[in-house]
mmCIF file of all heavy atoms in Angstrom:
data_model
loop_
_atom_site.group_PDB
_atom_site.id
_atom_site.type_symbol
_atom_site.label_atom_id
_atom_site.label_comp_id
_atom_site.label_asym_id
_atom_site.label_seq_id
_atom_site.Cartn_x
_atom_site.Cartn_y
_atom_site.Cartn_z
ATOM 1 N N PHE A 1 37.826 52.334 108.120
ATOM 2 C CA PHE A 1 36.977 51.855 107.076
ATOM 3 C C PHE A 1 36.773 50.382 106.959
ATOM 4 O O PHE A 1 35.805 49.926 106.265
ATOM 5 C CB PHE A 1 37.592 52.431 105.719
ATOM 6 C CG PHE A 1 37.542 53.871 105.528
ATOM 7 C CD1 PHE A 1 38.679 54.701 105.777
ATOM 8 C CD2 PHE A 1 36.341 54.550 105.183
ATOM 9 C CE1 PHE A 1 38.616 56.076 105.691
ATOM 10 C CE2 PHE A 1 36.242 55.930 105.105
ATOM 11 C CZ PHE A 1 37.386 56.653 105.396
ATOM 12 N N SER A 2 37.568 49.635 107.670
ATOM 13 C CA SER A 2 37.417 48.142 107.638
ATOM 14 C C SER A 2 36.657 47.560 108.859
ATOM 15 O O SER A 2 36.032 46.561 108.772
ATOM 16 C CB SER A 2 38.773 47.593 107.506
ATOM 17 O OG SER A 2 39.594 47.770 108.621
ATOM 18 N N GLN A 3 36.656 48.324 109.885
ATOM 19 C CA GLN A 3 36.096 47.920 111.147
ATOM 20 C C GLN A 3 34.570 47.960 110.994
ATOM 21 O O GLN A 3 34.018 48.858 110.427
ATOM 22 C CB GLN A 3 36.485 48.746 112.416
ATOM 23 C CG GLN A 3 35.984 48.182 113.703
ATOM 24 C CD GLN A 3 36.582 48.996 114.830
ATOM 25 O OE1 GLN A 3 37.040 50.072 114.675
ATOM 26 N NE2 GLN A 3 36.471 48.462 115.997
ATOM 27 N N LYS A 4 33.826 46.927 111.430
ATOM 28 C CA LYS A 4 32.366 46.908 111.289
ATOM 29 C C LYS A 4 31.767 46.543 112.634
ATOM 30 O O LYS A 4 32.357 45.893 113.545
ATOM 31 C CB LYS A 4 31.965 45.774 110.307
ATOM 32 C CG LYS A 4 32.585 45.968 108.959
ATOM 33 C CD LYS A 4 32.083 47.227 108.159
ATOM 34 C CE LYS A 4 32.662 47.353 106.861
ATOM 35 N NZ LYS A 4 32.875 48.673 106.392
ATOM 36 N N GLY A 5 30.516 46.897 112.708
ATOM 37 C CA GLY A 5 29.750 46.403 113.926
ATOM 38 C C GLY A 5 29.944 47.075 115.219
ATOM 39 O O GLY A 5 29.434 46.540 116.264
ATOM 40 N N VAL A 6 30.586 48.168 115.272
ATOM 41 C CA VAL A 6 30.750 48.932 116.410
ATOM 42 C C VAL A 6 29.360 49.334 116.880
ATOM 43 O O VAL A 6 28.631 49.821 116.125
ATOM 44 C CB VAL A 6 31.721 50.115 116.257
ATOM 45 C CG1 VAL A 6 31.869 51.009 117.567
ATOM 46 C CG2 VAL A 6 33.140 49.608 115.853
ATOM 47 N N SER A 7 29.123 49.273 118.168
ATOM 48 C CA SER A 7 27.774 49.538 118.742
ATOM 49 C C SER A 7 27.405 51.025 118.530
ATOM 50 O O SER A 7 28.372 51.929 118.531
ATOM 51 C CB SER A 7 27.542 49.126 120.153
ATOM 52 O OG SER A 7 28.283 49.985 120.968
ATOM 53 N N ARG A 8 26.281 51.374 118.422
ATOM 54 C CA ARG A 8 25.796 52.794 118.415
ATOM 55 C C ARG A 8 26.324 53.507 119.677
ATOM 56 O O ARG A 8 26.806 54.640 119.466
ATOM 57 C CB ARG A 8 24.252 52.877 118.269
ATOM 58 C CG ARG A 8 23.793 54.378 118.264
ATOM 59 C CD ARG A 8 22.292 54.498 118.577
ATOM 60 N NE ARG A 8 21.397 53.431 118.279
ATOM 61 C CZ ARG A 8 20.378 53.474 117.288
ATOM 62 N NH1 ARG A 8 20.097 54.642 116.727
ATOM 63 N NH2 ARG A 8 19.599 52.517 117.212
ATOM 64 N N ALA A 9 26.229 52.914 120.783
ATOM 65 C CA ALA A 9 26.595 53.538 121.954
ATOM 66 C C ALA A 9 28.153 53.863 121.966
ATOM 67 O O ALA A 9 28.467 54.938 122.383
ATOM 68 C CB ALA A 9 26.336 52.549 123.217
ATOM 69 N N GLU A 10 28.988 52.912 121.435
ATOM 70 C CA GLU A 10 30.275 53.197 121.329
ATOM 71 C C GLU A 10 30.652 54.290 120.376
ATOM 72 O O GLU A 10 31.493 55.154 120.599
ATOM 73 C CB GLU A 10 31.185 51.904 121.029
ATOM 74 C CG GLU A 10 32.690 52.207 121.054
ATOM 75 C CD GLU A 10 33.441 50.951 120.859
ATOM 76 O OE1 GLU A 10 32.944 49.861 120.884
ATOM 77 O OE2 GLU A 10 34.654 50.998 120.621
ATOM 78 N N LEU A 11 29.946 54.353 119.259
ATOM 79 C CA LEU A 11 30.181 55.394 118.254
ATOM 80 C C LEU A 11 29.773 56.768 118.846
ATOM 81 O O LEU A 11 30.465 57.758 118.651
ATOM 82 C CB LEU A 11 29.356 55.175 116.993
ATOM 83 C CG LEU A 11 29.657 54.004 116.179
ATOM 84 C CD1 LEU A 11 28.635 53.714 115.108
ATOM 85 C CD2 LEU A 11 31.049 54.122 115.558
ATOM 86 N N ILE A 12 28.707 56.841 119.556
ATOM 87 C CA ILE A 12 28.219 58.036 120.317
ATOM 88 C C ILE A 12 29.389 58.449 121.236
ATOM 89 O O ILE A 12 29.677 59.596 121.348
ATOM 90 C CB ILE A 12 26.854 57.884 120.831
ATOM 91 C CG1 ILE A 12 25.848 57.858 119.656
ATOM 92 C CG2 ILE A 12 26.447 58.995 121.878
ATOM 93 C CD1 ILE A 12 24.370 57.509 120.135
ATOM 94 N N GLN A 13 29.782 57.487 122.075
ATOM 95 C CA GLN A 13 30.824 57.779 123.055
ATOM 96 C C GLN A 13 31.990 58.362 122.395
ATOM 97 O O GLN A 13 32.614 59.354 122.940
ATOM 98 C CB GLN A 13 31.135 56.527 123.896
ATOM 99 C CG GLN A 13 32.198 56.729 125.021
ATOM 100 C CD GLN A 13 33.586 56.668 124.519
ATOM 101 O OE1 GLN A 13 33.918 55.890 123.665
ATOM 102 N NE2 GLN A 13 34.427 57.537 125.080
ATOM 103 N N LYS A 14 32.472 57.697 121.280
ATOM 104 C CA LYS A 14 33.692 58.319 120.518
ATOM 105 C C LYS A 14 33.417 59.720 120.053
ATOM 106 O O LYS A 14 34.337 60.457 120.047
ATOM 107 C CB LYS A 14 34.021 57.329 119.458
ATOM 108 C CG LYS A 14 34.652 55.957 119.861
ATOM 109 C CD LYS A 14 34.799 55.076 118.653
ATOM 110 C CE LYS A 14 35.403 53.788 119.030
ATOM 111 N NZ LYS A 14 36.790 53.795 119.541
ATOM 112 N N THR A 15 32.217 59.941 119.539
ATOM 113 C CA THR A 15 31.850 61.307 119.093
ATOM 114 C C THR A 15 31.858 62.302 120.235
ATOM 115 O O THR A 15 32.449 63.301 120.098
ATOM 116 C CB THR A 15 30.534 61.258 118.391
ATOM 117 O OG1 THR A 15 30.517 60.222 117.350
ATOM 118 C CG2 THR A 15 30.119 62.612 117.860
ATOM 119 N N GLU A 16 31.277 61.945 121.301
ATOM 120 C CA GLU A 16 31.265 62.859 122.503
ATOM 121 C C GLU A 16 32.692 63.134 123.010
ATOM 122 O O GLU A 16 33.059 64.268 123.332
ATOM 123 C CB GLU A 16 30.474 62.246 123.646
ATOM 124 C CG GLU A 16 29.009 62.165 123.343
ATOM 125 C CD GLU A 16 28.172 61.473 124.405
ATOM 126 O OE1 GLU A 16 28.728 60.630 125.099
ATOM 127 O OE2 GLU A 16 26.910 61.684 124.416
ATOM 128 N N ALA A 17 33.551 62.148 123.078
ATOM 129 C CA ALA A 17 34.936 62.267 123.352
ATOM 130 C C ALA A 17 35.665 63.272 122.449
ATOM 131 O O ALA A 17 36.447 64.023 122.927
ATOM 132 C CB ALA A 17 35.652 61.005 123.560
ATOM 133 N N THR A 18 35.351 63.041 121.168
ATOM 134 C CA THR A 18 35.963 63.948 120.187
ATOM 135 C C THR A 18 35.521 65.402 120.305
ATOM 136 O O THR A 18 36.281 66.323 120.151
ATOM 137 C CB THR A 18 35.645 63.362 118.813
ATOM 138 O OG1 THR A 18 36.095 62.070 118.627
ATOM 139 C CG2 THR A 18 36.261 64.204 117.650
ATOM 140 N N ILE A 19 34.267 65.617 120.638
ATOM 141 C CA ILE A 19 33.747 66.958 120.864
ATOM 142 C C ILE A 19 34.557 67.671 122.001
ATOM 143 O O ILE A 19 35.012 68.798 121.865
ATOM 144 C CB ILE A 19 32.251 66.959 121.312
ATOM 145 C CG1 ILE A 19 31.384 66.500 120.082
ATOM 146 C CG2 ILE A 19 31.824 68.288 121.873
ATOM 147 C CD1 ILE A 19 29.907 66.247 120.477
ATOM 148 N N GLN A 20 34.871 66.826 123.038
ATOM 149 C CA GLN A 20 35.679 67.440 124.208
ATOM 150 C C GLN A 20 37.129 67.740 123.740
ATOM 151 O O GLN A 20 37.644 68.850 124.131
ATOM 152 C CB GLN A 20 35.657 66.411 125.370
ATOM 153 C CG GLN A 20 34.321 66.093 125.886
ATOM 154 C CD GLN A 20 33.610 67.383 126.376
ATOM 155 O OE1 GLN A 20 34.145 68.249 127.115
ATOM 156 N NE2 GLN A 20 32.267 67.528 126.028
ATOM 157 N N VAL A 21 37.685 66.881 123.039
ATOM 158 C CA VAL A 21 39.065 67.069 122.578
ATOM 159 C C VAL A 21 39.148 68.367 121.572
ATOM 160 O O VAL A 21 40.005 69.154 121.809
ATOM 161 C CB VAL A 21 39.646 65.852 121.766
ATOM 162 C CG1 VAL A 21 40.837 66.196 121.031
ATOM 163 C CG2 VAL A 21 39.843 64.679 122.756
ATOM 164 N N VAL A 22 38.245 68.349 120.644
ATOM 165 C CA VAL A 22 38.267 69.443 119.585
ATOM 166 C C VAL A 22 38.102 70.796 120.373
ATOM 167 O O VAL A 22 38.796 71.753 120.158
ATOM 168 C CB VAL A 22 37.227 69.251 118.512
ATOM 169 C CG1 VAL A 22 36.968 70.564 117.710
ATOM 170 C CG2 VAL A 22 37.635 68.076 117.695
ATOM 171 N N ASP A 23 37.002 70.817 121.315
ATOM 172 C CA ASP A 23 36.735 72.055 122.056
ATOM 173 C C ASP A 23 37.986 72.530 122.881
ATOM 174 O O ASP A 23 38.325 73.652 122.931
ATOM 175 C CB ASP A 23 35.609 71.959 122.805
ATOM 176 C CG ASP A 23 34.976 73.267 123.344
ATOM 177 O OD1 ASP A 23 34.709 74.113 122.402
ATOM 178 O OD2 ASP A 23 35.003 73.545 124.546
ATOM 179 N N ARG A 24 38.557 71.551 123.566
ATOM 180 C CA ARG A 24 39.687 71.825 124.385
ATOM 181 C C ARG A 24 40.917 72.378 123.652
ATOM 182 O O ARG A 24 41.503 73.410 124.008
ATOM 183 C CB ARG A 24 40.149 70.652 125.263
ATOM 184 C CG ARG A 24 41.237 70.831 126.381
ATOM 185 C CD ARG A 24 41.446 69.749 127.204
ATOM 186 N NE ARG A 24 42.092 68.676 126.413
ATOM 187 C CZ ARG A 24 41.539 67.482 126.209
ATOM 188 N NH1 ARG A 24 40.289 67.200 126.613
ATOM 189 N NH2 ARG A 24 42.154 66.576 125.406
ATOM 190 N N VAL A 25 41.186 71.787 122.557
ATOM 191 C CA VAL A 25 42.388 72.258 121.740
ATOM 192 C C VAL A 25 42.030 73.613 121.198
ATOM 193 O O VAL A 25 42.938 74.496 121.307
ATOM 194 C CB VAL A 25 42.647 71.216 120.564
ATOM 195 C CG1 VAL A 25 43.590 71.808 119.623
ATOM 196 C CG2 VAL A 25 43.147 69.973 121.119
ATOM 197 N N LEU A 26 40.840 73.840 120.730
ATOM 198 C CA LEU A 26 40.526 75.196 120.111
ATOM 199 C C LEU A 26 40.447 76.278 121.181
ATOM 200 O O LEU A 26 40.889 77.371 120.910
ATOM 201 C CB LEU A 26 39.277 75.107 119.297
ATOM 202 C CG LEU A 26 39.300 74.263 118.007
ATOM 203 C CD1 LEU A 26 37.967 74.245 117.282
ATOM 204 C CD2 LEU A 26 40.454 74.831 116.990
ATOM 205 N N ALA A 27 39.924 75.917 122.348
ATOM 206 C CA ALA A 27 39.857 76.795 123.409
ATOM 207 C C ALA A 27 41.307 77.244 123.954
ATOM 208 O O ALA A 27 41.400 78.423 124.447
ATOM 209 C CB ALA A 27 39.209 76.210 124.668
#
């Protein structure tokens, strides 16, 4: 909540990595 200015590309990369983690754990 305090970090600011992270690039769109980095936010998308973090989201994509999270998709992989969540899917792997649930699988």
Side-chain angles (χ1 to χ4, degrees):
F1 293 100
S2 64
Q3 190 174 13
K4 305 293 181 210
V6 177
S7 72
R8 179 194 334 241
E10 186 175 346
L11 292 171
I12 288 172
Q13 182 277 323
K14 288 175 182 291
T15 303
E16 289 172 339
T18 302
I19 291 169
Q20 298 302 313
V21 167
V22 168
D23 193 63
R24 186 176 66 249
V25 170
L26 292 177

